[in-house]
Amino acid sequence: MPSTLVKKYHATQTLFTRSTSVGEAIERMIRATKTSVDAALYRLSNPRLARAIHDAALRGVRIRVILDREKFAMTTATRELLSKFQIPYRLMSGRRGRFAKMHHKFAILDGRVAVTGSYNWTLESEMQNFECLLILPERRQVRDFEEEFEALWAIAQRQTERAAASTSGV
């Protein structure tokens, strides 16, 4: 039986902030999840999206978020939201180390739908910028995003372990 997400998003769709609330669309999709939300995000500072992730976790949905290390360090709102909503996350840098970016903006919902685009999960993207979001329900595309996420999740774990070891004097 297809999930609510698959029924609603059975073909690729494109959303633009110029004409719709992309944040509301993401929020609706997260609220429809049943099993998992895996997100690799350059920025996360939209309280509505953080609350939707938190509420999903309370429903038993597995949550994993990867964020850019430098942007996280620079953004008090992100740190406060992650703490307030107890969102599990890992931090990472880009391919060339500390000052390179983990610049992805994608999420995989229930392993059935991927969302990606220029849209950062921030109030600025929602209220000020011209941004886009692609909703991709095709299994092959979702699998590509799953592979990327799993690789990044492992890299972020190794980066975290190295950072902890260097700060503890080991």
Side-chain angles (χ1 to χ4, degrees), residues 8-9 11-29 115-119 126 129-136:
K8 181 166 176 78
Y9 301 105
T12 299
Q13 294 181 32
T14 308
L15 304 177
F16 297 98
T17 56
R18 181 183 52 74
S19 57
T20 192
S21 172
V22 171
E24 284 181 23
I26 294 170
E27 182 182 7
R28 278 192 308 273
M29 287 185 275
V115 296
T116 190
S118 64
Y119 189 85
E126 185 65 22
N129 302 347
F130 290 114
E131 305 274 2
C132 67
L133 185 78
L134 294 170
I135 302 168
L136 306 168

Side-chain angles (χ1 to χ4, degrees), residues 43-47 50 71-85 122-124:
R43 297 183 65 199
L44 170 61
S45 62
N46 184 320
K71 192 51 84 171
F72 173 86
M74 294 170 41
T75 311
T76 303
T78 299
R79 295 189 308 273
E80 289 173 355
L81 286 173
L82 292 169
S83 175
K84 176 181 178 180
F85 292 118
T122 66
L123 293 175
E124 295 88 356

Side-chain angles (χ1 to χ4, degrees), residues 138-157:
E138 288 81 15
R139 183 67 196 131
R140 179 187 53 77
Q141 291 172 319
V142 173
R143 195 172 323 118
D144 290 343
F145 280 97
E146 287 176 322
E147 288 175 13
E148 178 71 358
F149 185 86
E150 293 301 336
L152 294 176
W153 189 250
I155 293 166
Q157 177 63 31

